[in-house]
């Protein structure tokens, strides 16, 4: 049985109520060390050379959350809408793998992100001889049985008792058949797949589990996992650059950094042509690989005709913050022969602070001429360069 094609079912359709509420969503999508829990789990199995196919059961409402969390890895797994229980979700994922002609399957909790190659190898080896394979650790705590009134009834001998983990491995055909039989019998009370195997008469062998292979159930466990992965990590500080240029047209003012400045000309563009804010928008988006200003606000869209460019900055800031980013600073250089920037620098800084939600000491607005060279020197337009630094959660990836 150790040879042949091996698939994986990852169960991640739960709501995780015991972990509390989070803006990141259910616990499988929360970040530990800057990476979503479910992505870490996926990476462990996708990196293993023995795994041929993976089906992931997710909640019907979580398609977008999963796509964001998995990124490019999403294309390498089969995402299956889960059922109302873990058991139902496992059955649906097994059915999705049926056409892959698998010899064996490993069933794993999506919120056990510390599974490693050694544990996967032990579970696969445990399948030899037609057994199910259950990773487990011997119980070390003294166990007590309590009455309904909370009083201790007796001490339970711990000899021979084990705490079950996942992944649990089985021959594919027999475990799928066991799930189908349990479904038809109306049995939805099994808490893991080894229990279904026992009910169906499939012998299950215990193999050595891993102490680090914890299941993240409570908020404290998630916090501890994040602290463990973030300890000693370099901060994930990203720098983005943006550049833009607009030509002059007939008019009586220009808008720069959100401030209207009297001038003998205006800047030509589909929006208000605020060259500084356009460069700033691109710089912000660059810190999280979110495209550029044209991606989100194409000039072909008439909604943005004459629009205030602070709208573009607001959207870029929203995207950065949605990904957990904190803007550290912004530096804007305006390249123009005229108008003079100095008299308006304080107003520009104030406007940028409001847009970015940072203090004035983290904002720099500078101006320079082009020494009468090129289109700027001929006073045909204005250019701007923007640089921003954003700190994202967790540390740098390994």
């Amino acid at each position: 049985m150790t040879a042949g094609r091996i698939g994986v079912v990852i169960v991640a359709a739960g709501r995780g109520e015991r972990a509390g509420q989070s803006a990141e969503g259910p616990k499988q999508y929360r970040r530990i060390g800057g990476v979503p829990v479910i992505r870490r789990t996926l990476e462990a199995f996708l990196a293993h050379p023995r795994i041929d196919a993976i089906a992931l059961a997710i909640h019907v409402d979580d398609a977008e959350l999963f796509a964001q969390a998995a990124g490019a890895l999403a294309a390498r797994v089969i995402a299956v809408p889960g059922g109302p229980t873990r058991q139902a979700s496992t059955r649906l994922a097994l059915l999705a793998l049926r056409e892959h002609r698998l010899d064996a399957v490993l069933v794993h909790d999506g919120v056990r992100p510390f599974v490693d190659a050694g544990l996967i190898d032990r579970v696969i080896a445990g399948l030899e001889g037609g057994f199910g394979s259950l990773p487990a650790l011997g119980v070390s705590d003294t166990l007590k049985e309590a009455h309904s009134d909370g009083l201790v009834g007796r001490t339970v001998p711990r000899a021979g008792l084990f705490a079950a983990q996942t992944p649990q491995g089985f021959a594919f055909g027999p475990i799928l058949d066991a799930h189908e039989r349990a479904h038809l019998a109306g049995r939805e009370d099994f808490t893991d797949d080894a229990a279904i195997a026992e009910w169906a008469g499939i012998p299950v062998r215990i193999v050595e589990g891993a102490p680090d292979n914890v299941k993240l159930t409570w908020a404290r466990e998630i916090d501890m996992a994040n602290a463990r992965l973030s300890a000693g990590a370099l901060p994930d500080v990203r720098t983005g650059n943006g550049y833009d240029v607009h030509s002059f047209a007939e008019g009586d003012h220009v808008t720069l950094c959100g401030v209207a400045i009297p001038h003998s000309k205006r800047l030509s563009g589909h929006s208000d042509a605020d060259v500084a804010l356009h460069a700033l928008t691109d710089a912000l988006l660059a810190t999280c690989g979110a495209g550029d200003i044209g991606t989100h606000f194409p000039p072909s869209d008439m909604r943005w005709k004459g629009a205030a460019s602070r709208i573009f900055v607001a959207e870029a800031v929203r995207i950065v913050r949605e990904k957990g980013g904190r803007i550290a600073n912004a530096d804007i250089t305006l390249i123009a022969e005229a108008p003079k920037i100095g008299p308006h620098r304080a107003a520009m800084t104030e406007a940028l602070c409001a847009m970015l939600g940072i203090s004035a000491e983290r904002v720099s607005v500078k101006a320079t001429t082009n020494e009468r060279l090129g289109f700027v020197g001929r006073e045909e337009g204005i250019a701007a360069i923007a640089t921003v630094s954003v700190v994202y959660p967790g540390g740098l990836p390994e």
Side-chain angles (χ1 to χ4, degrees), residues 251-269:
D252 60 5
H253 77 280
V254 295
T255 301
L256 297 172
C257 296
V259 176
I261 301 173
H263 191 51
S264 59
K265 301 174 182 178
R266 65 174 176 86
L267 288 173
S268 176

Side-chain angles (χ1 to χ4, degrees), residues 280 284 287 313 316-318 320-321 324-330 355-359 362-363 388-392:
L280 178 60
L284 288 164
T287 66
V313 175
V317 169
R318 185 196 66 78
V320 164
R321 289 180 177 160
R326 293 183 293 113
I327 300 169
N329 78 298
M355 288 181 235
L356 301 174
I358 57 179
S359 61
R362 296 180 178 274
V363 174
V388 298
S389 294
V390 178
V391 183
Y392 284 89

Side-chain angles (χ1 to χ4, degrees), residues 74-214:
R76 300 175 59 187
V77 303
I78 304 166
V80 180
T85 64
R86 181 191 188 282
Q87 181 182 332
S89 294
T90 302
R91 172 179 166 270
L92 292 170
L94 286 169
L95 289 172
L97 289 174
R98 188 164 45 182
E99 296 181 1
H100 286 257
R101 299 181 179 179
L102 301 172
D103 297 291
V105 64
L106 311 182
V107 184
H108 188 66
D109 299 320
V111 289
R112 289 186 188 266
F114 297 116
V115 59
D116 58 34
L119 178 58
I120 295 171
D121 287 339
R122 292 196 296 276
V123 173
I124 292 174
L127 296 171
E128 187 69 40
F131 290 93
S133 185
L134 169 67
L137 295 174
V139 174
S140 58
D141 294 328
T142 297
L143 301 177
K144 301 291 184 179
E145 183 179 281
H147 298 304
S148 58
D149 58 6
L151 294 176
V152 173
R154 69 185 182 103
T155 298
V156 179
R158 64 191 179 198
L161 294 182
F162 292 83
Q165 298 184 332
T166 67
Q168 298 175 6
F170 309 92
F172 185 81
I175 196 63
L176 174 58
D177 179 67
H179 268 276
E180 292 282 60
R181 287 165 53 197
H183 175 67
L184 291 173
R187 290 290 305 273
E188 295 288 344
D189 55 327
F190 295 107
T191 55
D192 72 354
D193 299 277
I196 293 180
E198 296 162 31
W199 173 78
I202 300 171
V204 178
R205 170 190 287 145
I206 288 179
V207 299
E208 181 185 357
D212 288 343
N213 184 33
V214 295

